[in-house]
Amino acid sequence: MNLMIPTITLTIMLSIMLSIFKLSTHTNKNKLMLMFLISLMPLNALMNNKEITLSSTPMIIMPTENINISFTLDMLSLMFIPITLFITWSIYEFASWYMNQDPNIYKFLKFLIIFLIAMLIIITANNMYQLFIGWEAVGIMSFLLIGWWNGRSNANMAALQAIIYNRMGDIGLIMTTAWLMSTSSMNFQETLILCKTDIIPMMGLLAATTGKSAQFTLHPWLPSAMEGPTPVSALLHSSTMVVAGIFLLTRLNPILQNKTILTICLLLGATTTVFAAASATTHLDIKKIIALSTTSQLGLMMTMIGLNQPSLAFLHMITHSFFKALLFLCAGTLIHNLNNEQDIRMMGGLLNTYPMTASFLTIASLSLMGMPFLSGFYSKDTIIETMMNSHINSWALTITLIATTLSALYSTRMVLLTLTNYPRTKHNAHKEANNIIKPPIRLTTVTILAGTMMKLTTLQNTALPTMPKMIKLTALIATLLGIILSNDLIQVIRHFPPNKSKTLNIFFNQLAFYSIPHRSITMKMLKMSQQISTELIGLWTLEVWGPKGLSNMLIPMIHISTQQKNMIKNYLSVFTITLLFSLFSFMI
């Protein structure tokens, strides 16, 4: 068994790498399916809580550190590898249909595979060198895929925004890497054994996660990333890229044993989850609503990191991956069939037109809300119960419950506006494609069953607490309250005449801090630059150094060197003296 696990893992990674050079869409799809099935085999080892490390001989030998390729195969990596492969397999098959008319479809699919490889490197990395390679690779691939339609200025801006915001967070990871290099070890096992409670690497890891997992203050890039093709959004938001930050904190959780850092994680996660949920209620673009729900769920995972419950954060990361990929696939199907219409006000009545897609969208939305016995319920409900029974400040708990209500509110609003009532679309809707129904069916099945299957694993290591019935039902009550309130919000959108948005609405709609770095600071810099270039340089410097400076310098010199001062006595004196000198010279 010990030899089988690393052999299977290496086989999976090598096979996927070789599939980059194979341009057959059908073959690669089948290969991803086969790799997923093979990756299920090592899961038996998890029953014994085994951890296997596979290292090569040192590739670079230094006085203080030997750099080698090293894989760690523990519960985190062996659980998440099949999930990543399963979701990528489904999205890859969907992308081959969605991007069928794109002239560079093979290049696009190749990029998806490289994206998957980069995430697998992060999942299995056993040292900071490998992790950093995978970390930067997912950033670069997200830049290329978000800006895929580079003829659109918004896509280019979104791609640049993603890479810049991630680079701001990556400074923290580089700082942590430098600290580990100088004081500890780059190898994760050695680092976790030493477990030095220094605040510098903790702050670095927190900054890296804030950038990659789009926490509050570095969150605007995630909704902007919706400018990319829908398969990219599905892969980006479900099992790759954005979950890498939470995965990093889960992997290195023993380092984070500091009350200050855990409190910051708790407050940051709670703020992110409620802010993103409030922002989603103000948006009308179906992809941006789903994107902001991702930010909200990532905030919930960060809250669990702050409560020192990394296993629950990992559990929610798994269940969230399935229903989020399904939501994006359903949104992509609707957008594709409605001729790229993304405004939910311009949809409606799609329940009869696209019955299968409507069913999938409803199940995924209910799972996101945390409805009982769907996958989201088993993680979200457990998270809120854990918060209820923990010694934390009531502010974090309160705004998490508010975020739960808002999640149900915007999810219900999205489902009702797109699927019910009468059709409001301007375009002739295409028929529902039967040849692309398999990926959503797979994801729907797992969305329904994943929570029940995870319940049987060792991920939920918290004891079953005894609590009053009302506290037990708090999460469900918050969800039902959001569903009831969504009807009022729909009435506001559908029937009331359009009014000027209120300040609070604009605050959430513009993602708060989005307007400060992207609008206010930019405009002030442009105005200041304009003043410097036109007024300071053009009107002052060039004038003083140019015409005025030249005249001010020449006029005194002219006055000194010339006798022409408009005085008749001077002229007569000069004339007389000159005449006398001339006569004297002739006489001699």
Side-chain angles (χ1 to χ4, degrees):
M1 177 65 74
N2 289 351
L3 186 61
M4 183 193 77
I5 294 173
T7 306
I8 287 174
T9 307
L10 287 176
T11 304
I12 290 169
M13 295 193 75
L14 289 171
S15 299
I16 294 171
M17 285 180 184
L18 289 172
S19 66
I20 296 173
F21 306 102
K22 188 78 173 176
L23 295 179
S24 173
T25 306
H26 186 71
T27 306
N28 283 349
K29 181 191 70 176
N30 291 338
K31 190 176 288 186
L32 285 170
M33 178 185 68
L34 182 62
M35 292 305 106
F36 161 68
L37 295 174
I38 291 172
S39 69
L40 294 174
M41 295 166 64
L43 289 179
N44 293 328
L46 290 182
M47 300 302 173
N48 302 322
N49 289 322
K50 289 184 177 180
E51 182 178 345
I52 297 169
T53 304
L54 184 67
S55 300
S56 68
T57 54
M59 301 176 69
I60 301 173
I61 299 174
M62 297 188 297
T64 57
E65 193 85 38
N66 291 338
I67 300 175
N68 59 359
I69 297 173
S70 182
F71 298 101
T72 181
L73 302 172
D74 58 352
M75 188 268 292
L76 290 176
S77 54
L78 290 178
M79 280 291 293
F80 209 64
I81 285 172
I83 291 163
T84 308
L85 288 168
F86 177 80
I87 291 172
T88 308
W89 164 39
S90 301
I91 293 171
Y92 188 93
E93 187 175 351
F94 179 81
S96 61
W97 167 77
Y98 190 87
M99 304 292 287
N100 190 38
Q101 301 300 319
D102 196 289
N104 297 316
I105 180 173
Y106 290 119
K107 184 180 177 182
F108 179 82
L109 296 175
K110 194 182 291 186
F111 281 3
L112 291 183
I113 296 290
I114 298 171
F115 206 169
L116 169 65
I117 293 167
M119 191 61 197
L120 290 178
I121 291 170
I122 292 176
I123 293 168
T124 57
N126 193 36
N127 56 52
M128 287 300 287
Y129 299 112
Q130 271 176 252
L131 182 92
F132 192 74
I133 291 168
W135 192 270
E136 292 303 314
V138 292
I140 292 165
M141 294 315 300
S142 67
F143 171 76
L144 294 172
L145 287 167
I146 292 168
W148 179 256
W149 288 319
N150 49 31
R152 295 160 56 183
S153 60
N154 284 346
N156 291 327
M157 187 197 74
L160 284 171
Q161 204 172 321
I163 203 79
I164 290 167
Y165 273 99
N166 276 280
R167 177 55 62 195
M168 290 163 67
D170 291 351
I171 295 169
L173 189 67
I174 295 167
M175 183 176 72
T176 302
T177 306
W179 186 91
L180 291 174
M181 189 183 292
S182 58
T183 63
S184 181
S185 172
M186 302 294 281
N187 190 285
F188 286 160
Q189 271 96 5
E190 296 170 12
T191 301
L192 296 178
I193 290 169
L194 293 172
C195 266
K196 291 184 179 180
T197 55
D198 197 306
I199 202 160
I200 294 174
M202 298 181 198
M203 290 300 293
L205 291 174
L206 184 59
T209 303
T210 303
K212 191 68 76 177
S213 293
Q215 297 300 299
F216 189 67
T217 66
L218 294 181
H219 60 281
W221 74 267
L222 200 57
S224 298
M226 295 302 96
E227 291 295 331
T230 305
V232 175
S233 305
L235 193 58
L236 193 80
H237 286 248
S238 56
S239 59
T240 61
M241 187 65 180
V242 294
V243 297
I246 302 296
F247 188 88
L248 176 67
L249 291 187
T250 308
R251 166 79 76 201
L252 300 178
N253 189 257
I255 296 178
L256 301 175
Q257 300 310 310
N258 181 291
K259 287 185 178 179
T260 305
I261 291 295
L262 290 177
T263 305
I264 292 172
C265 287
L266 178 69
L267 298 179
L268 184 65
T271 307
T272 304
T273 188
V274 74
F275 176 79
S279 296
T281 60
T282 66
H283 278 273
L284 297 165
D285 186 319
I286 187 169
K287 285 178 70 176
K288 285 198 174 179
I289 293 170
I290 301 171
L292 286 163
S293 78
T294 303
T295 312
S296 183
Q297 301 308 308
L298 289 168
L300 207 56
M301 297 173 208
M302 181 64 94
T303 307
M304 281 297 101
I305 298 289
L307 278 184
N308 205 16
Q309 293 286 344
S311 58
L312 283 182
F314 185 65
L315 173 66
H316 192 55
M317 190 164 76
I318 290 172
T319 55
H320 168 262
S321 297
F322 295 123
F323 62 72
K324 190 48 57 76
L326 179 58
L327 275 171
F328 271 112
L329 261 57
C330 293
T333 304
L334 295 179
I335 292 165
H336 189 79
N337 290 334
L338 294 174
N339 296 319
N340 299 320
E341 181 60 68
Q342 294 184 203
D343 193 329
I344 56 175
R345 294 172 299 179
M346 303 306 295
M347 298 182 185
L350 299 179
L351 180 63
N352 298 321
T353 315
Y354 308 114
M356 292 293 285
T357 305
S359 304
F360 301 148
L361 183 66
T362 306
I363 291 169
S365 299
L366 289 173
S367 185
L368 171 63
M369 294 179 213
M371 277 293 163
F373 312 116
L374 294 173
S375 63
F377 167 76
Y378 288 98
S379 56
K380 204 169 185 179
D381 197 75
T382 311
I383 284 172
I384 293 172
E385 285 180 17
T386 307
M387 292 184 74
M388 289 281 196
N389 288 279
S390 60
H391 300 285
I392 64 164
N393 54 48
S394 56
W395 178 80
L397 174 62
T398 304
I399 65 170
T400 305
L401 286 173
I402 292 170
T404 305
T405 303
L406 292 173
S407 297
L409 190 150
Y410 65 71
S411 298
T412 308
R413 180 191 69 154
M414 182 181 72
V415 170
L416 292 179
L417 280 176
T418 53
L419 303 181
T420 62
N421 217 311
Y422 55 90
R424 294 180 297 276
T425 179
K426 294 178 181 178
H427 310 285
N428 293 324
H430 301 298
K431 290 183 179 179
E432 190 169 31
N434 294 326
N435 58 343
I436 199 56
I437 215 71
K438 290 179 183 177
I441 286 177
R442 284 197 296 269
L443 288 169
T444 305
T445 306
V446 180
T447 298
I448 295 168
L449 300 176
T452 310
M453 292 189 292
M454 291 297 164
K455 194 76 176 172
L456 305 175
T457 67
T458 56
L459 285 175
Q460 289 187 329
N461 55 10
T462 52
L464 292 173
T466 304
M467 62 182 78
K469 188 182 289 184
M470 282 304 293
I471 293 179
K472 182 77 174 173
L473 295 173
T474 303
L476 188 60
I477 291 168
T479 302
L480 292 173
L481 181 64
I483 293 172
I484 294 165
L485 290 174
S486 67
N487 190 50
D488 292 337
L489 190 64
I490 288 173
Q491 300 305 321
V492 170
I493 292 172
R494 188 180 289 164
H495 298 297
F496 285 17
N499 297 318
K500 187 178 179 181
S501 295
K502 295 180 181 177
T503 306
L504 187 64
N505 191 297
I506 294 171
F507 175 80
F508 285 116
N509 191 264
Q510 295 297 325
L511 302 176
F513 285 101
Y514 180 86
S515 59
I516 295 172
H518 293 270
R519 302 264 170 90
S520 305
I521 295 175
T522 311
M523 287 305 295
K524 285 180 180 177
M525 284 292 292
L526 283 171
K527 285 183 179 178
M528 188 174 72
S529 304
Q530 184 185 21
Q531 287 174 343
I532 290 171
S533 62
T534 57
E535 295 177 14
L536 187 61
I537 296 175
L539 299 180
W540 182 78
T541 310
L542 295 178
E543 184 124 1
V544 170
W545 291 356
K548 281 187 179 178
L550 194 61
S551 66
N552 290 337
M553 182 179 69
L554 292 177
I555 287 170
M557 293 174 65
I558 291 168
H559 287 167
I560 292 169
S561 61
T562 184
Q563 293 298 319
Q564 296 183 12
K565 297 181 180 178
N566 296 330
M567 294 179 70
I568 194 68
K569 288 181 180 180
N570 289 354
Y571 296 159
L572 285 171
S573 301
V574 172
F575 176 75
T576 306
I577 292 167
T578 307
L579 185 62
L580 290 172
F581 269 107
S582 301
L583 290 171
F584 183 73
S585 62
F586 279 118
M587 287 174 66
I588 295 172

